[in-house]
Amino acid sequence: MSQLKGFLFPQTPTGVASLIPDPPWYYSGTWLTVEYRTNPDRIKALLPAPLELADEDPGRVAMVWADWQSCSTGGAEMLDPVRAQYAEAFLAVKVKFQGQTFTRIVHIWVDRDFSLGRGIHMGYPKKFGSIYQTRPFPYGPAPRLAPGGRFGASLTTYDRRIAQATITLREQVKTGGPTVNIYPLLHTRVLQSIEKGGGESLNELVTHKPAKAECGDPWVADAELALFESPTEELATLAVEEVVGGYYQQMGTVWDGGELLLDNRQGG
């Protein structure tokens, strides 16, 4: 019998066909962020026990569009960009667990299967979507990374647009950047038993953060954000009550594992 290899499915004698390679995973990209306030009770309804709302400004959340290039050790994917480039959009909230503040992604969409596979492992609630954001270039009609630069972003699922945003850059700052998506992440890895009525095979509360990160100074921007109803999504339940601000930032990170905090399985 062969010893099958592969960090995730499918496992083969070589492991080459695995949906995702072994960590660490390396990322370079941009974040277009709109922070706004919503009804804290709507956030609370999405939190499993024993998580609580953050103490400070609990209704402040962040809608983020990310344009990524990622790779495994050696960087081979960078020279085969169909395996490296992807986009995602997500809604981040602040939560409290055992007195510490964390960031939790309550909704997230991606456009590549390898990113979805990483989400399965890391505890992100990833689904497929169509995600776009304006890219800056130094020539032609594209916006510049300069005051007055205007950027747009959109998110569509099942052929329905559920979010759109525009930002207009004001200034690049050393302090005063995003405030929601800055804490260690707190996610839930969950899998139901294959036996009907068997409960959960996996329900773990986990935390993780970059093993290494580098970021450019954020741009502060004026922002507009609209969320739309959908028969298959619940993003619009976190309705926009007040747009706080927009941000644009370039960054690089490395992910190499997390920490198990709690086994939440029924009977576990």
Side-chain angles (χ1 to χ4, degrees):
M1 296 290 290
S2 294
Q3 181 176 358
L4 300 182
K5 302 176 183 177
F7 190 78
L8 199 63
F9 45 75
Q11 293 188 316
T12 65
T14 67
V16 170
S18 176
L19 182 58
I20 51 177
D22 291 357
W25 303 319
Y26 303 82
Y27 303 79
S28 300
T30 61
W31 278 358
L32 187 158
T33 301
V34 179
E35 293 194 354
Y36 70 95
R37 290 189 176 94
T38 191
N39 184 337
D41 289 339
R42 295 297 182 92
I43 302 171
K44 188 175 181 180
L46 293 170
L47 304 182
L51 305 190
E52 301 176 292
L53 291 172
D55 294 326
E56 183 177 354
D57 205 353
R60 184 163 176 161
V61 301
M63 186 70 207
V64 182
W65 279 263
D67 189 7
W68 289 118
Q69 292 191 139
S70 66
C71 65
S72 56
T73 300
E77 296 91 341
M78 292 294 181
L79 299 181
D80 189 10
V82 70
R83 298 162 53 204
Q85 296 175 357
Y86 72 99
E88 66 185 5
F90 57 88
L91 196 289
V93 305
K94 295 183 297 181
V95 301
K96 184 173 65 173
F97 175 67
Q98 295 182 343
Q100 182 178 349
T101 301
F102 294 86
T103 298
R104 185 172 176 89
I105 310 303
V106 294
H107 295 293
I108 181 169
W109 296 264
V110 298
D111 63 358
R112 291 290 185 272
D113 60 355
F114 58 83
S115 178
L116 188 73
R118 287 194 298 236
I120 291 170
H121 175 67
M122 298 161 73
Y124 287 92
K126 291 186 176 183
K127 300 174 69 175
F128 275 128
S130 178
I131 303 107
Y132 289 94
Q133 64 168 284
T134 310
R135 292 169 176 165
F137 289 97
Y139 304 104
R144 312 295 192 258
L145 289 179
R150 300 194 69 205
F151 296 75
S154 66
L155 167 61
T156 303
T157 67
Y158 294 106
D159 292 331
R160 294 173 175 89
R161 181 168 291 199
I162 63 170
Q164 64 186 34
T166 60
I167 64 170
T168 303
L169 303 185
R170 293 204 309 264
E171 61 178 335
Q172 196 170 21
V173 297
K174 295 290 185 182
T175 59
T179 65
V180 176
N181 194 33
I182 60 173
Y183 300 98
L185 290 161
L186 191 68
H187 287 155
T188 302
R189 304 172 76 229
V190 63
L191 183 67
Q192 298 297 321
S193 171
I194 194 66
E195 295 184 351
K196 187 174 181 178
E200 296 167 335
S201 294
L202 179 71
N203 189 330
E204 295 178 342
L205 188 66
V206 300
T207 184
H208 46 88
K209 59 184 179 180
K212 181 180 179 182
E214 52 185 346
C215 300
D217 292 334
W219 284 86
V220 177
D222 298 318
E224 297 178 1
L225 175 66
L227 307 179
F228 306 105
E229 296 286 347
S230 162
T232 59
E233 308 296 347
E234 299 181 61
L235 180 63
T237 63
L238 298 170
V240 180
E241 295 185 352
E242 175 192 5
V243 173
V244 180
Y247 309 93
Y248 189 90
Q249 192 170 22
Q250 297 173 312
M251 65 191 65
T253 67
V254 181
W255 191 90
D256 196 17
E259 178 186 355
L260 173 62
L261 297 178
L262 190 65
D263 186 338
N264 268 332
R265 281 180 301 170
Q266 298 173 359

